[in-house]
Amino acid sequence: MIQGSMQHWPLLVGTILDHAERQHGTQEVVSRSVEGPIHRTTYAEIARRARQCAAALARLGVRPGDRVATLAWNTHRHVEAWYGAAHIGAIYHTVNPRLFESQIAFIVNDAQDRVILADLSFVPLLERLQDSCLRGRTIILLTSAGHMPDSPLDLLCYEDLIAAEADDLPRLMLPEDAPCGLCYTSGTTGDPKGVLYSHRSNVLQALITHGPDVMALSAMSVVLPIVPMFHANAWSLAFSAPMVGAKLVLPGNRLDAESICDLMRKEGVTMAFGVPSVWIDAIPRLRAEGRGTLERLLVGGAAVPRAMVEDFAAIGITMAQGWGMTEMSPLGTTTAPKPAMAGLSPREQIDQRLKAGAPFYGVETRIVGADGEVLPCDDVHTGALQVRGPCVVAEYWRGAGGVVLDAEGWFDTGDIAAIDRFGYVRIADRAKDVIKSGGEWISSIDLECAAASHPAIREAAAIAIAHPRWGERPLLVAVRAAGASLSEAELIAWLGGRVAKWWLPDRVIFVADLPHTATGKLDKRALRQQYGADCPPTAEDNRQHC
Ligand code: ADP
């Protein structure tokens, strides 16, 4: 077989920072440091320091394939650590500090991290983890000598370590399939499982997602990744932003609406990326103060309620929705417009943006029924959503969970979805959250989004409660908006105009706050534990299934 006669140029993430250093060397990278002040640097400086970091790691004995954990917020040092590890063929491993401590210990032990680079704010956490998972590991604090704390731990200082190194260490040449990054799923069922990204999958994901129909990034963009680097590979932004030379604004550990809006205004942010829950508090501010320079948002990781789409449209911000998962590097679909949708009414256009969108190049989607039959794309049939492509996981770290692909390479996402004639995916539910009432399925997501679109509701979660006749019935746990008063009966009556009668929750419980998982999603498991057993349905037994 003859070969193509083009150069062999492995897709390594280090080539991204090389390019940013050469072509966008003076472009700014701004961080809200964990120590407090705003820190300004450039891609050229980050590239230089990433090589120093690589040399320091190598001096500490880190070898190709070793895991280098990061327990850190989004800052320039965290970016340097990713590229520094990759420079010497080591694997950056993002540890989500919001997980339970027992899960963090499990993850660090399972990954067998050699080194842990941690932010100052996590020293108390590290001290608590010392016995369960830190023995024999080198801990580097991502700070300067003046900030090093008194601690019983043996801690090294990042700035001192890298200052001692030259900045010209050549990059280790690797095959593009070499491992690059390790990220664990949040483990809402069972233990967390690791997804091991390759250099190739990371570069491909950045190449594919920076384009106009996904993130629309360019050197003129000012990009704010609110999604933490420890969640789902930070939607690839640590790769796609330097790939195009976009200005990067990193929010550190201050992710409240006031800090985020302040940073967006001061730094001229044009695009922000985050899960829906971060926007709940930011929307009233944006409404009051105007959008400023902010042009575009990509929101994903959980369903987006209609009120949020309408709010952003009213403020003049283009909001696209994305769907994906840790196992997909992580993005798979976005609500990019298609010419075939031009004839839709304004309301139908909004309906499309309430969906997860269509897969872009490199992602194939299909839905299958209970017997494995492929279902039609008619927006009516719902089934298990399956995906495949070069940025989709082939197996979990160390084989956890066994075989995850079928014979044709399809990966079951655990989501239940419909696909419409435009290829747009509508996520009905996570398979484990769907409410099975009288043999039919009620989408907890649709119920939550309908409730959250009531102006007096800030957030809502729908869970299944056992029912003697219907098997399961929905219970809605809701948080009222500040200062709002709304009764259970009023909310149920309002929902009556928006969802099928048999979908109406049997009970609404108002609470001050809803629990969220470590990745910002509603924690249905905690809600089921709290309310599932001791909250039997009321006299709504007569509600009919139609
Ligand atoms: P976790 O570790 O919490 O599973 P992921 O980010 O990998 O974190 O979660 C992926 C899941 O998040 C998807 O399988 C899906 O259920 C949900 N999800 C992501 N984006 C959306 C979206 N736009 N709409 C609805 N659900 C979404």
Side-chain angles (χ1 to χ4, degrees):
M1 172 98 133
I2 62 166
Q3 303 267 307
S5 50
M6 308 310 282
Q7 293 186 10
H8 180 63
W9 199 78
L11 301 176
L12 301 175
V13 300
T15 62
I16 297 174
L17 200 54
D18 289 351
H19 172 76
E21 183 178 23
R22 278 194 303 266
Q23 296 301 323
H24 307 283
T26 58
Q27 179 63 284
E28 265 193 308
V29 177
V30 179
S31 310
R32 195 192 289 283
S33 67
V34 172
E35 294 84 353
I38 295 289
H39 177 274
R40 294 180 183 280
T41 184
T42 61
Y43 280 126
E45 187 64 6
I46 286 197
R48 201 178 63 70
R49 285 166 50 94
R51 288 190 291 272
Q52 289 177 295
C53 172
L57 290 172
R59 193 178 299 279
L60 290 168
V62 175
R63 300 281 168 262
D66 283 352
R67 273 73 64 202
V68 173
T70 57
L71 192 61
W73 299 101
N74 293 8
T75 68
H76 64 290
R77 290 191 183 115
H78 198 172
V79 175
E80 291 161 11
W82 278 24
Y83 281 99
H87 195 81
I88 53 171
I91 300 168
Y92 69 81
H93 166 210
T94 51
V95 180
N96 184 340
R98 293 174 179 154
L99 291 171
F100 293 119
E101 287 174 21
S102 58
Q103 287 180 316
I104 296 179
F106 170 86
I107 285 173
V108 170
N109 288 327
D110 189 59
Q112 298 166 353
D113 296 315
R114 184 162 190 131
V115 172
I116 300 177
L117 293 122
D119 271 334
L120 209 44
S121 54
F122 296 124
V123 172
L125 173 63
L126 288 169
E127 288 174 359
R128 291 195 299 278
L129 290 170
Q130 185 176 13
D131 290 336
S132 57
C133 65
L134 299 189
R135 303 243 172 253
R137 311 191 201 283
T138 304
I139 305 172
I140 303 172
L141 274 197
L142 291 164
T143 193
S144 52
H147 290 98
M148 287 299 284
D150 273 338
S151 169
L153 296 173
D154 198 2
L155 301 169
L156 300 176
C157 169
Y158 177 77
E159 290 295 338
D160 283 356
L161 280 180
I162 70 167
E165 301 294 339
D167 62 6
D168 57 357
L169 181 74
R171 196 177 54 245
L172 185 70
M173 279 316 287
L174 300 160
E176 62 184 18
D177 281 321
C180 179
L182 180 62
C183 182
Y184 279 70
T185 62
S186 62
T188 38
T189 49
D191 283 330
K193 294 195 279 294
V195 179
L196 185 59
Y197 307 118
S198 63
H199 280 263
R200 173 184 153 87
S201 67
N202 270 340
V203 173
L204 282 178
Q205 171 88 176
L207 270 172
I208 297 168
T209 59
H210 82 255
D213 281 338
V214 185
M215 295 200 165
L217 300 183
S218 81
M220 305 306 286
S221 313
V222 182
V223 170
L224 175 71
I226 304 174
V227 52
M229 289 171 72
F230 55 73
H231 179 208
N233 218 18
W235 301 2
S236 194
L237 284 157
F239 304 121
S240 51
M243 182 175 271
V244 298
K247 173 176 167 180
L248 205 44
V249 180
L250 300 167
N253 57 350
R254 283 176 50 190
L255 300 178
D256 58 288
E258 186 182 350
S259 305
I260 290 291
C261 289
D262 179 62
L263 200 56
M264 291 199 293
R265 241 188 340 269
K266 290 195 174 132
E267 295 302 328
V269 166
T270 60
M271 300 180 177
F273 301 81
V275 295
S277 54
V278 307
W279 297 110
I280 293 176
D281 294 327
I283 285 175
R285 281 173 188 276
L286 291 169
R287 219 189 276 128
E289 295 163 13
R291 66 176 180 84
T293 49
L294 188 61
E295 293 166 4
R296 197 180 147 89
L297 299 177
L298 185 65
V299 182
V304 182
R306 178 178 291 271
M308 193 173 274
V309 174
E310 290 171 346
D311 278 338
F312 283 128
I315 299 167
I317 297 169
T318 303
M319 193 218 85
Q321 185 170 173
W323 164 88
M325 58 199 315
T326 302
E327 288 89 336
M328 297 176 71
S329 299
L331 280 176
T333 64
T334 47
T335 50
K338 291 185 173 188
M341 292 175 357
L344 297 179
S345 69
R347 184 169 173 94
E348 288 168 330
Q349 299 276 1
I350 290 195
D351 288 346
Q352 288 304 97
R353 267 184 289 144
L354 289 171
K355 296 178 182 172
F360 38 79
Y361 170 76
V363 180
E364 291 177 26
T365 49
R366 70 174 191 182
I367 47 170
V368 301
D371 299 325
E373 75 281 17
V374 178
L375 298 173
C377 298
D378 56 7
D379 203 22
V380 175
H381 285 83
T382 53
L385 178 61
Q386 300 187 335
V387 293
R388 64 181 181 188
C391 302
V392 176
V393 71
E395 61 179 332
Y396 288 104
W397 171 247
R398 297 171 56 180
V403 176
V404 297
L405 304 185
D406 74 6
E408 294 170 333
W410 291 98
F411 172 75
D412 194 308
T413 62
D415 285 342
I416 305 291
I419 300 179
D420 70 15
R421 65 196 156 104
F422 305 110
Y424 267 48
V425 173
R426 176 166 56 81
I427 305 290
D429 228 325
R430 279 191 144 182
K432 61 184 185 299
D433 293 338
V434 78
I435 301 162
K436 299 180 193 84
S437 182
E440 300 284 341
W441 286 1
I442 297 174
S443 158
S444 66
I445 292 185
D446 285 0
L447 210 47
E448 286 154 7
C449 286
S453 287
H454 191 295
I457 295 293
R458 179 187 148 92
E459 207 178 6
I463 56 165
I465 46 175
H467 190 282
R469 177 164 172 204
W470 302 118
E472 290 178 353
R473 290 293 302 153
L475 165 76
L476 196 71
V477 190
V479 181
R480 291 192 191 91
S485 67
L486 182 75
S487 70
E488 174 176 17
E490 283 166 338
L491 180 56
I492 291 181
W494 190 84
L495 285 170
R498 285 162 180 83
V499 300
K501 187 161 166 262
W502 63 275
W503 280 37
L504 289 175
D506 284 17
R507 291 278 310 274
V508 178
I509 296 177
F510 290 104
V511 293
D513 239 327
L514 285 168
H516 291 89
T517 67
T519 53
K521 298 182 212 308
L522 288 167
D523 190 344
K524 304 267 183 87
R525 191 161 61 148
L527 286 169
R528 278 192 287 263
Q529 270 165 9
Q530 193 172 353
Y531 298 106
D534 52 343
C535 187
T538 53
E540 310 299 323
D541 206 8
N542 54 353
R543 201 162 276 140
Q544 292 298 313
H545 273 260
C546 32

